Amino acid sequence: MPALLLIAHGSRDPRHAATVAALVEEVRAQRPGIEVATAYLDHCAPRIPQVVGRTADAVAVPLLLNRAFHAKHDIPAALRAAGSRLPVADVLGPSPLLLAALDRRLAEAGLAVGSPAVRARTGVVLAAAGSSDPAADAATRAVADEWRRTRGWAAVEVAYASAAGPRVPDALAALRAAGAGRTAVAPYLLAPGLLPDRIAAAAEDADVLAGVLGPAPELAALLLLRHDEARRAQESVPALTA
């Protein structure tokens, strides 16, 4: 089976690389025997050129939630510059597994996610990084709509830690104005760092603040799913062109 080459953005914050390492261990635990390698776009080592030469039979899986600039441009360009023709899997979102991971983090923060009555009176802020790509922000809003629809939250508002607003305090105010009896903030982010810290500081008035997605089992399962989807698509090409 092809290896899974996890491509992460990288960060100067050491918590980022530690979280990626923990996520890799979860992937290995869920599928013992699979070869998993990690490469970073920036800030951390190893970089993509250092890794691709050692992983000729692999699927590159971006550790990205939305198909924005990094997925559309940075990763393909970095792979081309390294002389790699590895197949590249789709980004992680949207997926029901991400919603399950968000549920997990809220439950760990003390919210009774399993109670329909609690969900019906709780408004949630889905706090994302934000993007200059309108399609990426539209995808985040679609995740929020699906989360509200499938879970029965009182409301779900999107807030952004960078780029244009709304910010977390604005979203919390909108939830309360809409009649939410309790509020929660769920970071739609993969690892600790500057933006999650900014979200946490802005969420001081919320009743519940969840942790980042991090090495959630659902996230590891989603990485394996994207790997398998790309592998099957690659394997089907000769049959289609024969």
Side-chain angles (χ1 to χ4, degrees):
M1 175 178 291
L4 191 158
L5 173 57
L6 183 65
I7 299 183
H9 181 268
S11 170
R12 294 185 180 88
D13 190 319
R15 295 175 295 172
H16 177 89
T19 300
V20 172
L23 181 57
V24 166
E25 290 307 308
E26 180 62 29
V27 169
R28 290 177 175 143
Q30 291 190 21
R31 187 173 295 178
I34 190 172
E35 180 184 352
V36 185
T38 304
Y40 292 92
L41 277 172
D42 203 0
H43 303 303
C44 301
R47 300 292 181 85
I48 289 174
Q50 298 173 279
V51 178
V52 294
R54 306 194 304 266
T55 53
D57 184 20
V59 173
V61 183
L63 187 60
L64 299 170
L65 293 171
N66 284 332
R67 188 165 178 75
F69 191 83
H70 293 314
K72 293 178 181 177
H73 302 284
D74 288 348
I75 288 178
L79 288 169
R80 285 195 303 270
S84 171
R85 295 186 177 180
L86 293 179
V88 181
D90 200 1
V91 295
L92 300 178
S95 170
L97 287 167
L98 287 175
L99 301 184
L102 289 165
D103 290 343
R104 173 186 293 274
R105 294 306 186 219
L106 282 173
E108 290 171 350
L111 187 65
V113 172
S115 167
V118 169
R119 295 197 304 270
R121 66 184 184 88
T122 301
V124 184
V125 177
L126 186 68
S131 173
S132 58
D133 187 329
D137 284 344
T140 300
R141 292 192 297 273
V143 169
D145 291 343
E146 181 70 6
W147 200 22
R148 180 198 57 77
R149 185 186 66 80
T150 58
R151 302 302 194 269
W153 300 114
V156 178
E157 293 284 340
V158 174
Y160 300 111
S162 64
R167 303 299 191 200
V168 169
D170 303 321
L172 287 170
L175 291 173
R176 294 188 180 106
R182 198 176 191 199
T183 58
V185 174
Y188 192 50
L189 296 163
L190 294 163
L194 174 64
L195 296 185
D197 289 348
R198 186 179 296 171
I199 288 169
E204 59 182 7
D205 291 336
D207 297 303
V208 177
L209 171 63
V212 295
L213 296 170
E218 296 85 0
L219 198 60
L222 184 51
L223 288 169
L224 288 166
L225 175 63
R226 295 293 185 246
H227 169 276
D228 293 346
E229 290 170 344
R231 173 179 56 83
R232 288 192 294 268
Q234 185 74 3
E235 291 172 351
S236 70
V237 170
L240 293 174
T241 58

